[in-house]
Amino acid sequence: MPDRTEALEKAWAAAARVVDPELPMLTLIDLGVLRDVTVGDDGKVTAAITPTYSGCPAMAAMRDDLMRELQDAGFADARVRVALEPAWTTDWITEKGKAALAEAGISPSRSCPSTFRAGGHQPSAHPACRALPAMRQRRRRTQLRIRLHRLQGHVPLPRVLGTVRPREGDLT
């Protein structure tokens, strides 16, 4: 059996070959879904993956592909663990992954400045964040209108639902 360091390198190399089933231009590493690969004292490999969102239907395929790749690399007792915390964020997409997405015409959402994650966020300093409170308030008002219309027995909701869209300039 190879030593632990060799086994870990081999396991990471195997895991790095697994692509996302929905975005085949990305590996699980590029997408930021593959969180960790470890080799225990007993030599068993455990890989940790995080779903891009709760209930992600691709998780089963990712797990199966990762298991198959690890087993093909000689890790018959490999395990895949789903790690829900911390929750996945687009910040975890690698630069290579962002470039691949851009080349495919897909743009990951912009994240707030690093001060947001550190707890010192100032919404007025970031345009996308500045618009969020207004959008949330409009969504709450719209939800309230919908409930009120339902209580009053009104049916024509499409006009009310149309107000949910962000107004021009909200995200600039």
Side-chain angles (χ1 to χ4, degrees), residues 118-131:
H121 181 56
Q122 297 173 344
S124 60
H126 195 259
C129 300
R130 195 171 42 236

Side-chain angles (χ1 to χ4, degrees), residues 2 11 14-15 20 24 34 42 46 48 50 57 61 82 123 128 134 139 141 144 148 170:
D20 180 83
L34 182 64
D42 56 0
T46 302
T50 298
V82 176
R139 184 176 63 219
R141 281 196 308 256
L144 206 58
L148 183 62
D170 276 347

Side-chain angles (χ1 to χ4, degrees), residues 5-32:
T5 305
E6 284 180 38
L8 187 59
E9 288 174 10
K10 187 177 175 184
W12 268 105
R17 291 189 291 268
V18 180
V19 296
D20 180 83
E22 297 175 326
L23 300 167
M25 76 286 288
L26 296 178
T27 65
L28 297 187
I29 290 176
D30 291 333
L31 187 56

Side-chain angles (χ1 to χ4, degrees), residues 71-130:
Q71 289 170 349
D72 289 349
F75 301 104
D77 295 334
R79 294 181 309 162
V80 176
R81 178 176 63 82
V82 176
L84 298 177
E85 289 188 8
W88 180 86
T89 171
T90 55
D91 294 341
W92 292 358
I93 301 173
T94 65
E95 291 304 316
K96 181 181 170 190
K98 289 176 185 175
L101 286 171
E103 190 174 307
I106 303 168
S107 173
S109 61
R110 291 180 290 170
S111 59
C112 289
S114 60
T115 55
F116 177 72
R117 290 185 299 282
H121 181 56
Q122 297 173 344
S124 60
H126 195 259
C129 300
R130 195 171 42 236

Side-chain angles (χ1 to χ4, degrees), residues 131-148 160 163-164:
L132 287 177
M135 289 173 67
R136 285 185 186 127
Q137 188 174 3
R138 277 199 306 279
R139 184 176 63 219
R140 277 190 292 254
R141 281 196 308 256
T142 300
Q143 289 169 343
L144 206 58
R145 285 186 200 139
I146 291 169
R147 280 191 221 125
L148 183 62
V160 174
T163 62
V164 175

